[in-house]
Structure formats: structure tokens, C-alpha cells
Amino acid sequence: MKVRTRSSAIIGSICLFATIALGSASAAPERSAEAAVSLTKVATAKNPTAGVAGPGDSVWVAERAGTVRALSDQGLSEPLLDISAETTNDGERGLLGIAFDKDFAHFYISFTDLQGNSKVDEFAVADGKIEPDTRRTVLTQTQPFANHNGGDLAFGPDGYLYIALGDGGSGGDPQGNGQNLGTLLGKLLRIDPGGGDPYAIPKDNPLVGTEGAKGEIWSYGLRNPWRFSFDKGTGDLLIGDVGQNAWEEIDWAAAASKGGENYGWGEMEGTHPYQDGKEPANHVPPVHEYDRSGLACSVTGGYVYRGEAIPDLKGQYVYGDYCDGTLRTLTIENGKVTAKGDLGVNGGEVVSFAQGGDGELYVMDLGGAINRIDPA
């Protein structure tokens, strides 16, 4: 995704400024009943990039330069972790993702190191506090360019850690990484960080035993899967994958999926052949796509709302776009968009969402504002 401060870029794709136009990979769905929402500013961070539900009903927030703070009713804490001396935030780099395992026993960070490589590190957590001396590196991936790092992390309903990596950067996937099963770039990975040293590959990963393929791969054909999430209600997977020049896409996989989905990049951009690309026979088209005929430039994947505060929003996938800022929704049934909506609020430079332990959603503006989505 291309994410910029007002003066500098952070996450991948070329921003084109004008009104967003929404499209779909299938027949136009009905408009959903609009939930009445408002945005309540709960904190100001320094370039927030990611958030995750933490111990004690908190939400932990990653700041791009390398700090992690906890958001509670008292606001943002002092840094709980500071790796700012170990990361670089030029281009689209920085501290890009954070995650807890289900028992809050381990905390994971995804960042680019001083050489620009993607790294995932693990810390043990005791009594809600990080134990710095337990730090270990779980995974390292060399990055050929400074953009399209991906960087999101999340534990799936199966208890495994999923890691999103972009195609390596530049533009147009010059190395062909999206369709190359011999690299981790352009992929969503699935690993067991506690099952081996430094991790184990689950035996039921789709490409285990496939000659020339990386066993860590869960799905592929991704350009820059900046934000992905699992539906707390169904376990379904949703990925916001940033497009090249024309189309932003949201990919979907059922909770029962065995993995192996090919989302098409760099042969396809959404449902459209990219340049002279040919649609792969196993291409899984996006559940939704929209073009850049307006302000849109970079999709920011969000979450299916499973909170209690806004009943009319339940079951709808909330997402945004970094340049447009408007929060929108999709209702997805059996892998098809049956309704789409516009929440009528603007989150600014929408770089990320966070879901609290109670299912309520927060939207993060790269400029600093953290807003909770509340009933109007």
C-alpha cells in the first residue's frame, strides 16, 4: 500500500488524488443499511501503523519509528518497547506489524531492520509486560527494494502465526515474485513459531512436499497485502491487497480453506490482466475491487465488526483507503459481496485498523489520530 505522511511516502503504490469509485468483481450488490456511526478520538500517537488487542482490555499500538504503547481508558502509555535504534523508516519501512498469541504469552513484532530486511521477532510476556531478555528472531526475509514490505501479523483461529509479505517492491513485480513459489515474497505465510527453532512449518500447509516451493506459503499472488484479518465470528480470512496503477482489491477465503489460493499478481491486478499478463488457471479473483478514478490510491484492510455497541454494523467488513479516508463496508455471504455501504465518516490517512478484545474497532490515521468507531 502507499502510505504517506504529508511530506513522505511509507507504504507502496502510487497515490492518485480524486473521489473514490467503488466497483465489484461480480454483479453490483445492493447498498447495505447504513449504520449510524461517529469517530471518537481516543489518543494521538506518533505515526501509528498497527494495533492489536492486548492484556487487560488494552489495545497495543505500534508507531512507525519503532515504539509500542498500550492504549487504555487513561490514554497511551509510555513506550512498552522501543526498537527505534534497530529499524529504518525511510521509504515504506519501519515497525509495521504486531501480534499476541491467544494467551498473551508471547508478543511478536514485524519490522524492517537497518539493512531494510523484513524481520519477525518474538518476546515472552509475563503479567502483561514484555520480557526483553527473551527476544529471539523468528523469521528474516531479504528485501530487494524499499517498498511493498507488507508486514502485517495475526494469529489465525488455528493458533498459527500468519505473516504478510509484499512482492519485494519497485513496480510491476520485476522479479516475478508474486507467482514464484520458491520465494516468500508476495505471499501470506503460515508458521508455528513455538514448534521449532526458529519455527516449524505446519504439516498441512498446502505446498509442503511440493518440489521447489516454500512450505511456509499459505497463499500467493499478492502484491502488497498491507493489512489482513480473520473474522472473529466465522474465522474467514480477508486481505486488503494494494494495487499497482488501476485496481485495489480485497481477497477472501473461507475458514474451511486448506490454503493454496493464487490471488493472481503479477499476472492480474484484481480481475484484470496486468499489462500482458495471462490469468492463471487457478486464479482466485477478489471478492471486491475498486478503481482509482477518484481519490483512492491504496486499500487499507480492516475487520468484520463483531462488537456490541453498533448493532446495525454487525457482520459487516469495515475497510478504508489511505488517500480517500472514507470508511466503507462490505457484507459478504458465501464468498460473495451481497451489500456495500458508506459509513459517512473519514478517518484521515487511514493506515490501519485495530480490533479490541470486545470487538470494537479503532481506525488509525498515519498523522497520529487514533479514533474509535462509535454509534452516532
Side-chain angles (χ1 to χ4, degrees), residues 197-244:
D197 185 13
Y199 60 86
I201 298 173
K203 294 180 180 179
D204 60 348
N205 271 13
L207 297 176
V208 168
T210 300
E211 185 177 357
K214 295 288 189 181
E216 295 93 335
I217 295 170
W218 180 253
S219 55
Y220 63 105
L222 294 163
R223 181 177 177 274
N224 191 21
W226 170 244
R227 289 293 171 254
F228 71 93
S229 66
F230 293 93
D231 183 346
K232 286 183 69 171
T234 65
D236 297 343
L237 169 68
L238 289 135
I239 306 170
D241 193 21
V242 178
Q244 177 66 41

Side-chain angles (χ1 to χ4, degrees), residues 238-283:
L238 289 135
I239 306 170
D241 193 21
V242 178
Q244 177 66 41
N245 294 319
W247 296 94
E248 302 299 310
E249 73 179 75
I250 294 169
D251 299 309
W252 177 92
S257 169
K258 302 301 182 183
E261 289 85 3
N262 178 3
Y263 295 115
W265 179 253
E267 298 292 324
M268 306 291 290
E269 186 180 6
T271 61
H272 312 269
Y274 176 68
Q275 294 184 343
D276 296 326
K278 181 178 179 181
E279 183 172 17
N282 63 343
H283 178 220

Side-chain angles (χ1 to χ4, degrees), residues 220-348:
Y220 63 105
L222 294 163
R223 181 177 177 274
N224 191 21
W226 170 244
R227 289 293 171 254
F228 71 93
S229 66
F230 293 93
D231 183 346
K232 286 183 69 171
T234 65
D236 297 343
L237 169 68
L238 289 135
I239 306 170
D241 193 21
V242 178
Q244 177 66 41
N245 294 319
W247 296 94
E248 302 299 310
E249 73 179 75
I250 294 169
D251 299 309
W252 177 92
S257 169
K258 302 301 182 183
E261 289 85 3
N262 178 3
Y263 295 115
W265 179 253
E267 298 292 324
M268 306 291 290
E269 186 180 6
T271 61
H272 312 269
Y274 176 68
Q275 294 184 343
D276 296 326
K278 181 178 179 181
E279 183 172 17
N282 63 343
H283 178 220
V284 177
V287 71
H288 183 66
E289 64 180 8
Y290 63 89
D291 66 30
R292 293 184 177 181
S293 60
L295 281 175
C297 75
S298 185
V299 65
T300 299
Y303 291 85
V304 175
Y305 180 73
R306 297 295 178 187
E308 299 294 333
I310 315 169
D312 287 343
L313 193 57
K314 274 196 172 183
Q316 296 183 50
Y317 177 69
V318 180
Y319 69 100
D321 184 283
Y322 174 76
C323 292
D324 172 77
T326 302
L327 303 190
R328 292 182 166 86
T329 64
L330 301 175
T331 301
I332 301 170
E333 299 176 5
N334 299 318
K336 302 291 183 183
V337 173
T338 58
K340 61 183 182 180
D342 182 334
L343 292 178
V345 292
N346 193 294

Side-chain angles (χ1 to χ4, degrees), residues 44 47 55 74 82 104 160 193 232 237 296 307 342 370:
T44 300
N47 300 136
Q74 287 71 49
D82 186 349
F104 300 113
Y160 292 126
K232 286 183 69 171
L237 169 68
D342 182 334
I370 300 175

Side-chain angles (χ1 to χ4, degrees), residues 4-336:
R4 328 179 165 229
T5 60
R6 299 292 182 195
S7 59
S8 64
I10 153 182
I11 302 164
S13 158
I14 299 172
C15 291
L16 304 174
F17 291 85
T19 289
I20 191 168
L22 294 176
S24 173
S26 57
E30 298 294 325
R31 299 294 299 180
S32 67
E34 308 294 354
V37 307
S38 61
L39 296 181
T40 302
K41 188 174 180 180
V42 294
T44 300
K46 186 175 180 180
N47 300 136
T49 52
V52 66
D57 298 324
S58 64
V59 173
W60 287 30
V61 175
E63 296 175 312
R64 184 187 174 198
T67 47
V68 177
R69 303 175 189 269
L71 174 65
S72 67
D73 291 342
Q74 287 71 49
L76 283 174
S77 70
E78 292 299 312
L80 305 174
L81 180 68
D82 186 349
I83 63 160
S84 56
E86 304 171 47
T87 189
T88 177
N89 55 17
D90 63 315
E92 297 173 10
R93 298 163 169 163
L95 177 57
L96 303 178
I98 54 177
F100 280 100
D101 59 17
K102 65 177 182 178
D103 298 320
F104 300 113
H106 296 91
F107 181 64
Y108 297 84
I109 60 173
S110 172
F111 67 101
T112 52
D113 66 16
L114 295 176
Q115 288 72 47
N117 299 319
S118 292
K119 294 184 70 174
V120 176
D121 283 6
E122 174 196 88
F123 298 82
V125 177
D127 299 323
K129 297 181 179 179
I130 293 172
E131 297 187 310
D133 293 343
T134 66
R135 182 178 182 178
R136 71 184 186 96
T137 295
V138 175
L139 182 143
T140 301
Q141 172 61 48
T142 301
Q143 290 285 357
F145 300 99
N147 57 340
H148 303 183
N149 299 293
D152 205 9
L153 300 173
F155 277 86
D158 53 15
Y160 292 126
L161 179 62
Y162 290 72
I163 303 167
L165 288 175
D167 65 5
S170 186
D173 194 11
Q175 298 184 341
N177 291 323
Q179 294 295 308
N180 180 4
L181 300 180
T183 177
L184 301 182
L185 295 171
K187 313 297 190 296
L188 184 67
L189 314 180
R190 179 186 188 238
I191 65 171
D192 178 2
D197 185 13
Y199 60 86
I201 298 173
K203 294 180 180 179
D204 60 348
N205 271 13
L207 297 176
V208 168
T210 300
E211 185 177 357
K214 295 288 189 181
E216 295 93 335
I217 295 170
W218 180 253
S219 55
Y220 63 105
L222 294 163
R223 181 177 177 274
N224 191 21
W226 170 244
R227 289 293 171 254
F228 71 93
S229 66
F230 293 93
D231 183 346
K232 286 183 69 171
T234 65
D236 297 343
L237 169 68
L238 289 135
I239 306 170
D241 193 21
V242 178
Q244 177 66 41
N245 294 319
W247 296 94
E248 302 299 310
E249 73 179 75
I250 294 169
D251 299 309
W252 177 92
S257 169
K258 302 301 182 183
E261 289 85 3
N262 178 3
Y263 295 115
W265 179 253
E267 298 292 324
M268 306 291 290
E269 186 180 6
T271 61
H272 312 269
Y274 176 68
Q275 294 184 343
D276 296 326
K278 181 178 179 181
E279 183 172 17
N282 63 343
H283 178 220
V284 177
V287 71
H288 183 66
E289 64 180 8
Y290 63 89
D291 66 30
R292 293 184 177 181
S293 60
L295 281 175
C297 75
S298 185
V299 65
T300 299
Y303 291 85
V304 175
Y305 180 73
R306 297 295 178 187
E308 299 294 333
I310 315 169
D312 287 343
L313 193 57
K314 274 196 172 183
Q316 296 183 50
Y317 177 69
V318 180
Y319 69 100
D321 184 283
Y322 174 76
C323 292
D324 172 77
T326 302
L327 303 190
R328 292 182 166 86
T329 64
L330 301 175
T331 301
I332 301 170
E333 299 176 5
N334 299 318
K336 302 291 183 183

